[in-house]
Amino acid sequence: MGIPVRAPQDLAAGLLIAAFGLAALWLGRDWPTGTLAYVQSGFFPRMIGLLMVLAGAVVTGRSLLAHGAGLPACGWRPLLGVTAAVLAFAGTVELLGLVPAVLILVGLGNLAGQPLRPVPLAFLGGTLAAGCVALFVWGLGLPLRVWP
Amino acid sequence: MTELLGNLLLGLSVSLSPDNLLLCFGGALIGTLIGVLPGLGPTATVAMLLPLTFHLPPVGALIMLAGIFYGSQYGGSATAILVNLPGESSSVVTCLDGHAMARQGRAGVALATAALASLFAGIVTTFLIAVAGPPLAGVALAFGPAEYVSLMLLGLIGAVTLAHGSVVKAIAMILLGLLLSMVGTDVNSGDTRFTFGLPQLYDGIDFVPLAMGLFGLAEIIASLEQTGGVGRTTAPIASLWPKREDIRQAWPATVRGTVMGALLGILPGGGATLGSFAAYSLEKKVSRRPERFGQGAIEGVAAPEAANNAASQACFIPMLSLGIPPNAIMALMIGAMTIHGITPGPQIMAKQPELFWGMIASMLIGNVILVILNLPMIGLWVRLLRVPYGYLFPAILVFCCIGTYTLNNSAFNVLLMALFGVLGYVLRKLDCEPAPLMLGFVLGPLLEENLARALLLSGGDPTVFATRPISGSLLVAAALLLLLMVMPAVRRRRDEAFKDE
């Protein structure tokens, strides 16, 4: 006989919160806590970590007792598209320069929503790249590499 | 009184300089521009536009940020009225009667009412800040570390009161923010905490990638998910000018809304949302014909809009005079001030009067600019609403990335932003709000420092927080607040107030 889960959304939230707390406690296991009169670097992390485990346990416990919302569907496409686009920018801006990085960002980001057709997409990417160079490099004089 | 006038004059001389006037105008314009986009509330807008102000002098940067803030708030109201889409929780009530008016072909009147009510509330609250700020800062000077700890606890618990949904989850979000604030080198011992051996984390997590990821990226992902990137149809706008009858009805509602908003805005944790909801229910109570509400009653636009603006400006009082942010937007402002090397708190008024009074006077000017900017240019905003999101969001993404990158030319920060974007999205899906997290993150170092200091001074006696009179009463207030929230009766009312979200 399994334990009835009445609020899957709360269960996930509670477990996530408790996991953060446990991770904090584990990562900080060697830091000195000191005494109350002279607290050291481990004191605060341990206190917060414990409180988080406690809060996570309360939320998890409640999910077994009270009815609540189910797990909402995840929008994989926007989540992955936007994240991939931003990560690609982070990976290319120093290697290739601003213009290619912006073009890659716009190209990948386009996949996150309803994709634009090639011509409007090229127009959008070109305008944004040119606009960024004009604003950030010429206008604000930021030291950015523009081309590879 | 003469001192107040002198201070305001000093402020006006700062904020009326051509540079600052331009920055105020620019901030209000860009803030409205972004705020008008559905799904992007003031917090996200301010987070995204922070980078614009990095390279400005501190006064100019704060004036521009304040402009962006109330610009985006106004933009949110326009979206609420025209498309029935609240950009953030404080414009939810405006949707009810504002959009009803728009459907009756009175969108212009609703927009004008919103703008004028906000202007009135803004002017009144600016004077309130000028009057109430200095005495409050005087009180704060008597604060020791124990009082600061208790005040921060009160503020954090106040913030929890307003987070809709679970109280425990909101507290957990504060704790997560506190944990994130500990990443980096501990100032006292030199130990590195939670850095995973990455040298990029030795200085701690930057505030910008965190705020932009949690609010900016996560909001983009969420609105893409909801709309799939299509444009919206908007209500048409005929005449802008309210009739004599409209003015007679809207005027007292505006005054009541202003008072309500300003009072609730000063409270720790209070803010625009609570203000607008409270003002709306007050109007419904005092109205002789409450059945008109929801059908396009002009008081239902004037009162919450006035309250909304009054509350969001009154939030500056605890932020500027105590250095304690009452909500996520003020936490963003504190973050921005820190980037410019300014420490908000009681000393700021004495040490940097041009900065303090310049910012306050700029609110007066900003409110006037908003009305000038919005009434004649409303047609432009309407057209912006029709631009498909597919074109807009890549532009916003580009801006977020470059802004985070150029903070200190670090691709690592962009990577962090992506991570926090995912975290923000996951938290949203689990019904955990990111706003308390942001507050915890900003208050974390301050809380840890003062906690350690208070304990050191008392020789390790934790009762010091309860036995010192000011500290003790702040703790009692915090406990009462928490108790009120847990009490089921209040709980039910709170859920009712937020049920439209």
Side-chain angles (χ1 to χ4, degrees):
Chain A
M1 196 183 102
I3 305 164
V5 176
R6 298 203 163 102
Q9 189 190 42
D10 276 357
L11 180 72
L15 291 179
L16 183 71
I17 293 164
F20 275 123
L22 285 174
L25 289 176
W26 190 74
L27 288 167
R29 66 196 180 281
D30 293 332
W31 303 336
T33 44
T35 61
L36 269 184
Y38 187 68
V39 301
Q40 285 183 303
S41 58
F43 180 81
F44 210 50
R46 205 155 299 180
M47 191 172 85
I48 302 300
L50 278 176
L51 286 172
M52 267 194 100
V53 173
L54 194 72
V58 171
V59 177
T60 309
R62 210 176 37 190
S63 77
L64 304 176
L65 297 174
H67 286 279
L71 269 184
C74 183
W76 289 109
R77 194 190 170 96
L79 178 66
L80 293 179
V82 167
T83 310
V86 173
L87 287 177
F89 181 88
T92 50
V93 66
E94 275 165 2
L95 222 61
L96 300 178
L98 185 63
V99 172
V102 167
L103 292 177
I104 293 172
L105 171 66
V106 173
L108 276 175
N110 183 47
L111 300 175
Q114 221 167 40
L116 300 173
R117 268 184 300 224
V119 175
L121 181 65
F123 174 75
L124 179 69
T127 318
L128 284 176
C132 286
V133 172
L135 177 65
F136 292 99
V137 182
W138 300 338
L140 295 170
L142 299 179
L144 286 163
R145 182 154 38 149
V146 180
W147 295 105
Chain B
M1 193 64 210
T2 45
E3 202 191 331
L4 175 69
L5 279 180
N7 285 334
L8 279 179
L9 280 179
L10 169 70
L12 282 174
S13 72
V14 175
S15 55
L16 281 176
S17 79
D19 280 1
N20 288 337
L21 203 58
L22 196 70
L23 288 173
C24 187
F25 180 80
L29 180 70
I30 305 170
T32 316
L33 204 76
I34 306 281
V36 103
L37 304 176
L40 289 178
T43 322
T45 310
V46 173
M48 278 176 202
L49 295 178
L50 272 176
L52 274 183
T53 64
F54 291 162
H55 306 276
L56 297 171
V59 188
L62 290 180
I63 288 180
M64 184 163 184
L65 275 176
I68 291 173
F69 171 38
Y70 30 75
S72 61
Q73 196 130 42
Y74 184 81
S77 311
T79 322
I81 292 172
L82 292 171
V83 227
N84 202 18
L85 270 182
E88 32 104 35
S89 46
S90 67
S91 22
V92 169
V93 235
T94 309
C95 275
L96 303 177
D97 281 282
H99 192 64
M101 282 178 78
R103 275 199 314 261
Q104 294 159 10
R106 308 212 309 142
V109 180
L111 286 167
T113 309
L116 295 173
S118 296
L119 172 69
F120 174 82
I123 291 175
V124 172
T125 318
T126 304
F127 278 101
L128 183 74
I129 299 174
V131 174
L136 208 59
V139 172
L141 285 174
F143 275 28
E147 281 76 16
Y148 263 106
V149 170
S150 303
L151 181 66
M152 279 183 258
L153 282 181
L154 176 63
L156 288 174
I157 291 188
V160 172
T161 330
L162 281 185
H164 45 97
S166 154
V167 172
V168 192
K169 279 186 191 168
I171 292 177
M173 286 303 104
I174 291 180
L175 295 171
L176 184 55
L178 292 173
L179 271 186
L180 289 172
S181 79
M182 279 179 242
V183 174
T185 313
D186 177 39
V187 254
N188 294 314
S189 61
D191 293 343
T192 52
R193 300 189 291 192
F194 303 122
T195 55
F196 306 99
L198 294 169
Q200 291 99 325
L201 283 177
Y202 285 177
D203 287 338
I205 293 175
D206 255 314
F207 161 84
V208 175
L210 178 66
M212 273 211 206
L214 280 183
F215 294 103
L217 291 193
E219 292 221 25
I220 294 176
I221 300 172
S223 37
L224 272 175
E225 189 185 348
Q226 278 158 18
T227 63
V230 217
R232 296 276 174 176
T233 43
T234 55
I237 297 174
S239 157
L240 273 179
W241 294 114
K243 291 187 295 255
R244 184 180 298 258
E245 168 74 6
D246 291 333
I247 295 172
R248 202 182 53 74
Q249 283 175 331
W251 173 246
T254 304
V255 177
R256 283 191 292 263
T258 304
V259 175
M260 192 71 134
L263 285 179
L264 291 174
I266 303 177
L267 290 183
T273 309
L274 186 62
S276 60
F277 274 100
Y280 189 78
S281 28
L282 177 73
E283 281 316 306
K284 221 169 159 176
K285 282 218 177 68
V286 300
S287 171
R288 249 176 260 131
R289 289 190 299 143
E291 69 281 359
R292 283 172 44 250
F293 282 80
Q295 316 287 326
I298 197 163
E299 303 98 298
V301 177
E305 280 300 307
N308 176 343
N309 206 31
S312 39
Q313 281 197 24
C315 287
F316 278 85
I317 298 178
M319 194 274 276
L320 288 171
S321 55
L322 304 176
I324 307 276
N327 54 34
I329 294 191
M330 289 301 119
L332 288 177
M333 292 295 281
I334 287 202
M337 288 168 101
T338 321
I339 287 171
H340 286 283
I342 307 161
T343 320
Q347 324 81 355
I348 205 173
M349 255 172 265
K351 287 199 188 135
Q352 287 160 303
E354 316 82 50
L355 187 109
F356 182 84
W357 295 105
M359 186 161 157
I360 287 180
S362 85
M363 294 179 184
L364 277 182
I365 296 163
N367 275 294
V368 177
I369 288 181
L370 266 189
V371 171
I372 300 175
L373 200 63
N374 281 301
L375 291 186
M377 281 167 73
I378 190 66
L380 193 72
W381 308 135
V382 176
R383 229 162 290 153
L384 192 71
L385 273 173
R386 294 197 190 114
V387 176
Y389 200 57
Y391 287 89
L392 286 172
F393 87 87
I396 302 173
L397 275 186
V398 167
F399 201 82
C400 286
C401 284
I402 297 185
T404 311
Y405 176 70
T406 53
L407 176 63
N408 36 26
N409 275 4
S410 138
F412 182 76
N413 270 344
V414 183
L415 201 125
L416 269 186
M417 177 177 76
L419 277 180
F420 287 128
V422 176
L423 178 71
Y425 179 76
V426 171
L427 291 179
R428 215 169 273 245
K429 283 282 156 186
L430 297 178
D431 200 27
C432 296
E433 277 186 281
L437 194 163
M438 205 62 226
L439 268 186
F441 181 77
V442 169
L443 286 178
L446 216 61
L447 191 63
E448 184 176 8
E449 195 189 320
N450 281 297
L451 189 72
R453 203 179 290 160
L455 284 172
L456 180 68
L457 289 176
S458 71
D461 176 16
T463 58
V464 60
F465 299 107
T467 48
R468 294 181 51 120
I470 303 182
S471 166
S473 12
L474 289 169
L475 279 187
V476 170
L480 280 178
L481 211 59
L482 203 59
L483 204 70
L484 273 175
M485 241 180 327
V486 180
M487 262 163 48
V490 180
R491 202 51 202 275
R492 213 174 308 125
R493 274 240 308 276
R494 206 166 62 104
D495 291 345
E496 208 168 86
F498 285 108
K499 73 172 178 227
D500 294 304
E501 275 173 85

